[in-house]
Amino acid sequence: MKIKGILRMSGAVTVLLAAMACSTQNGSQSNSALAETSAEVSSDSEKLSENIAAKQDIYLKELTPLTIIYSKKEEPYPDNVSLRLSYYYGLKAEDEGYEALNKSFADLIEANKKQLYSHLESNKDIIGSEEENAKDSSTETVEMNKTVDLSIRIKRADNIAVSFLNETYEFFGGVHPVTMNESHNFNSKTGQEIKFEEVVKDKDEFYKVLIKTLEDDGRAADFFEDYKETIKEELNNNKLKWNLLDKAIEITFDSYEVAAYAVGQTEVEISAQEHPELFNSGFFINNEAYAKYLDLGDGKELRLSADKAKTAVSYDIAMDKLTADADKKFDKISITVGGVNGETKEYNLSGLYNYEKKSAAVLHAESGATWLYIASEKPDAGPVLDVFKLSEQGSEFVSTYEGILWDYISGPDNFIIYNLRNLLGRHIIYRHYSLASDGLPAPKEETYKYAFYEGIDKMKLKTSVKANELNGGAEASETALPAGTVFYAVSTDGTAYCDIRTEEGKLYRLNLSIKDNNVSINGISQDKLMEQQSAGSDKYSEIKSGMSAN
């Protein structure tokens, strides 16, 4: 995590053929000019060939998504308990074989916390004392609570790289809060941070493309006059915030970095498909499928069919509507395709829109078809996804699917949907899915996996229970697990069984019976059979992993 001060307070390749020089004296071509022209053509042809070769050679055939989980933790600041302090905790890859990556994650979290407290210590004069806060609260104008929150925004997670932003939000009073970012890009196998030079061949050429991209899309018009010098300096000094995406590098500029606070945070992508000559091989894939978040009210130009043309897509939410059935509350969504002159349709969501996280994603299949997934919460029922088909002609409701998208999306061919279920305690369970031809999620596996959180997901038996030990996946003879056995849930089919692992590392299967949402094992209610480990004074957030705000 980097806590920094605010510095300010407010492809296509063209082959050019030189015209052959003609002698005005004898009408004959100059041999030297002809030789120079031939050399130019040869050189440009070589460049064109190199660019074509780059397009063919730099891409990976496929990427295998990783399952990255984490919790949020809150604690009072010792010198000022009215300061709300929170940070992400327990970051790790659930998949096997990534021990080095998880070690790097643990080291990063420890360093983050130390630096966070060091930052607070150096800003005691701004934070204020408990007495000063009490005095502020007694006045007619009460300031917002002082807050420091360290979050994570995962941009990519697969067998090649895990890339994310450390996002620090702080408010110590004043006109507005401040948000600062720091980027991290880890090699998934070695756990080492990937250097910018490992990905980009030439910083100078990358700089030219970055500036041109900002100028071409019009955003540079709102930047400070010296924004080019700022970007150049950050690039040369390895201070540029960059993230590896599956088909691009994304650059992030904080408020005040290249523009005034009112402009907001700026994110710009440099595509490896459009500029393969900029990048080294081994980091990107090359296909037409994509998955992108769509923010509320923020339109995006997206490909909605097999052709290359892009269409503006946006949506808005009308809050908290009540139907004729007084027990059913939901929000309405308006989806606009085609910009200000496009078609807008209004639909009833299945529940209440989740403003706490990124709740909308566009999934575009390799075939060219496109769908919009919108997350909402059914009162007393849980999260659901409403699925809409998108095309240049407009939008169309398809169906609803139980669950919610993980807090990052790998792509339409392999993404994660999770849910919160009360099976051997209240846990997050998830599966991997692919996009079916009808736009709905198609499970890639029959069983659900449990996302395990140290300190909150361990269970303890209150009484003995019958179980079958699993050897290499096969059920062995029945045995009895004694009272006091500590275990955690591993996987389940959601209806008939749950596989557990004890602290000693042995794997067992418990047979479930579910009736009217009541779960029992061997005729004993799960509430009487076991207890979920308490996090105690650590005050772990009940909202975990993909349920946390992003």
Side-chain angles (χ1 to χ4, degrees), residues 218-493:
R219 281 183 285 184
D222 296 323
F223 288 179
F224 296 131
E225 291 183 1
D226 63 346
Y227 81 93
K228 293 181 182 180
E229 289 81 357
T230 299
I231 294 174
K232 186 71 170 178
E233 182 180 352
E234 290 185 354
L235 185 59
N236 289 337
N237 294 320
N238 295 318
K239 300 297 184 182
L240 201 66
K241 292 179 289 293
W242 64 282
N243 288 101
L244 266 177
L245 309 184
D246 62 349
K247 302 183 185 72
I249 276 186
E250 183 179 71
I251 307 299
T252 300
F253 299 109
D254 293 338
S255 298
Y256 294 123
E257 192 169 356
V258 294
Y261 183 85
V263 175
Q265 180 174 294
T266 300
E267 296 176 345
V268 57
E269 291 185 16
I270 304 300
S271 169
Q273 293 174 306
E274 296 177 8
H275 302 283
E277 72 283 357
L278 295 178
F279 302 105
N280 292 312
S281 61
F283 296 99
F284 306 103
I285 56 172
N286 183 28
N287 58 30
E288 298 303 323
Y290 68 79
K292 291 183 179 293
Y293 288 117
L294 189 62
D295 293 332
L296 177 63
D298 182 23
K300 268 188 170 64
E301 294 284 333
L302 301 171
R303 285 184 291 106
L304 301 182
S305 62
D307 61 32
K308 302 292 184 181
K310 292 185 177 182
T311 304
V313 178
S314 62
Y315 73 96
D316 283 296
I317 300 294
M319 295 179 60
D320 209 19
K321 298 294 183 180
L322 193 64
T323 66
D325 179 358
D327 294 327
K328 182 181 178 184
K329 296 176 71 176
F330 62 89
D331 288 335
K332 288 183 177 289
I333 183 172
S334 298
I335 302 174
T336 301
V337 178
V340 293
N341 298 319
E343 180 192 65
T344 298
K345 282 187 177 180
E346 188 177 69
Y347 306 88
N348 293 337
L349 287 178
S350 296
L352 303 176
Y353 180 80
N354 189 339
Y355 289 89
E356 296 296 318
K357 69 185 297 292
K358 288 184 177 294
S359 293
V362 177
L363 285 79
H364 178 84
E366 190 72 19
S367 64
T370 308
W371 285 271
L372 173 64
Y373 281 27
I374 300 287
S376 63
E377 186 87 12
K378 280 188 174 181
D380 304 320
V384 293
L385 290 167
D386 287 317
V387 180
F388 302 86
K389 186 172 184 179
L390 300 179
S391 67
E392 286 86 350
Q393 289 70 46
S395 60
E396 176 186 353
F397 176 73
V398 176
S399 188
T400 298
Y401 196 87
E402 182 179 323
I404 192 169
L405 287 170
W406 207 253
D407 59 353
Y408 61 90
I409 313 170
S410 301
D413 295 329
N414 198 329
F415 56 93
I416 300 171
I417 292 178
Y418 73 91
N419 214 324
L420 191 62
R421 293 288 300 276
N422 189 15
L423 291 173
L424 304 191
R426 195 161 175 79
H427 306 277
I428 287 175
I429 60 173
Y430 66 90
R431 290 193 298 192
H432 288 260
Y433 294 78
S434 61
L435 193 62
S437 59
D438 61 0
L440 295 179
K444 297 173 74 71
E445 53 216 354
E446 291 184 4
T447 59
Y448 296 89
K449 294 180 181 178
Y450 282 74
F452 175 69
Y453 296 83
E454 186 69 42
I456 43 179
D457 282 338
K458 283 186 178 180
M459 309 295 294
K460 185 177 180 180
L461 290 178
K462 296 179 181 178
T463 183
S464 64
V465 65
K466 293 179 181 180
N468 292 89
E469 186 173 355
L470 299 178
N471 295 317
E475 291 188 38
S477 58
E478 189 176 77
T479 186
L481 295 177
T485 298
V486 176
F487 68 91
Y488 61 92
V490 176
S491 61
T492 180
D493 68 347

Side-chain angles (χ1 to χ4, degrees), residues 62 165 169 172 199 235 299 392 394 419 449 457 467 494 532 550:
E62 63 180 355
L165 282 174
Y169 169 95
F172 297 151
V199 182
L235 185 59
E392 286 86 350
N419 214 324
K449 294 180 181 178
D457 282 338
Q532 189 161 6
N550 274 286

Side-chain angles (χ1 to χ4, degrees), residues 98-302:
Y98 294 92
E99 291 79 10
L101 179 64
N102 285 334
K103 174 65 167 58
S104 294
F105 286 166
D107 291 344
L108 177 66
I109 288 170
E110 185 64 25
N112 280 347
K113 185 175 180 180
K114 288 181 179 178
Q115 196 165 350
L116 184 60
Y117 271 86
S118 175
H119 172 67
L120 294 174
E121 181 70 21
S122 63
N123 284 276
K124 275 188 173 181
D125 57 330
I126 301 175
I127 297 171
S129 66
E130 208 63 43
E131 292 76 13
E132 290 170 333
N133 285 343
K135 184 178 180 181
D136 289 340
S137 299
S138 65
T139 61
E140 293 184 5
T141 304
V142 179
E143 291 188 357
M144 293 172 57
N145 289 333
K146 294 178 180 179
T147 301
V148 177
D149 179 78
L150 174 59
S151 298
I152 182 173
R153 288 200 292 149
I154 298 176
K155 301 286 187 173
R156 171 177 172 175
D158 53 54
N159 59 315
I160 299 298
V162 176
S163 180
F164 55 85
L165 282 174
N166 271 357
E167 184 178 75
T168 304
Y169 169 95
E170 63 179 43
F171 182 78
F172 297 151
V175 179
H176 52 67
V178 174
T179 300
M180 299 166 287
N181 291 282
E182 181 183 74
S183 61
H184 290 281
N185 300 276
F186 287 95
N187 181 306
S188 298
K189 285 298 183 184
T190 68
Q192 296 179 342
E193 290 241 24
I194 300 170
K195 296 179 180 179
F196 189 78
E197 293 80 2
E198 294 178 55
V199 182
V200 175
K201 290 181 177 179
D202 189 311
K203 283 186 176 181
D204 291 335
E205 292 302 315
F206 184 88
Y207 170 78
K208 293 176 185 177
V209 173
L210 175 58
I211 296 300
K212 188 175 187 305
T213 302
L214 290 168
E215 290 176 339
D216 288 349
D217 66 19
R219 281 183 285 184
D222 296 323
F223 288 179
F224 296 131
E225 291 183 1
D226 63 346
Y227 81 93
K228 293 181 182 180
E229 289 81 357
T230 299
I231 294 174
K232 186 71 170 178
E233 182 180 352
E234 290 185 354
L235 185 59
N236 289 337
N237 294 320
N238 295 318
K239 300 297 184 182
L240 201 66
K241 292 179 289 293
W242 64 282
N243 288 101
L244 266 177
L245 309 184
D246 62 349
K247 302 183 185 72
I249 276 186
E250 183 179 71
I251 307 299
T252 300
F253 299 109
D254 293 338
S255 298
Y256 294 123
E257 192 169 356
V258 294
Y261 183 85
V263 175
Q265 180 174 294
T266 300
E267 296 176 345
V268 57
E269 291 185 16
I270 304 300
S271 169
Q273 293 174 306
E274 296 177 8
H275 302 283
E277 72 283 357
L278 295 178
F279 302 105
N280 292 312
S281 61
F283 296 99
F284 306 103
I285 56 172
N286 183 28
N287 58 30
E288 298 303 323
Y290 68 79
K292 291 183 179 293
Y293 288 117
L294 189 62
D295 293 332
L296 177 63
D298 182 23
K300 268 188 170 64
E301 294 284 333
L302 301 171

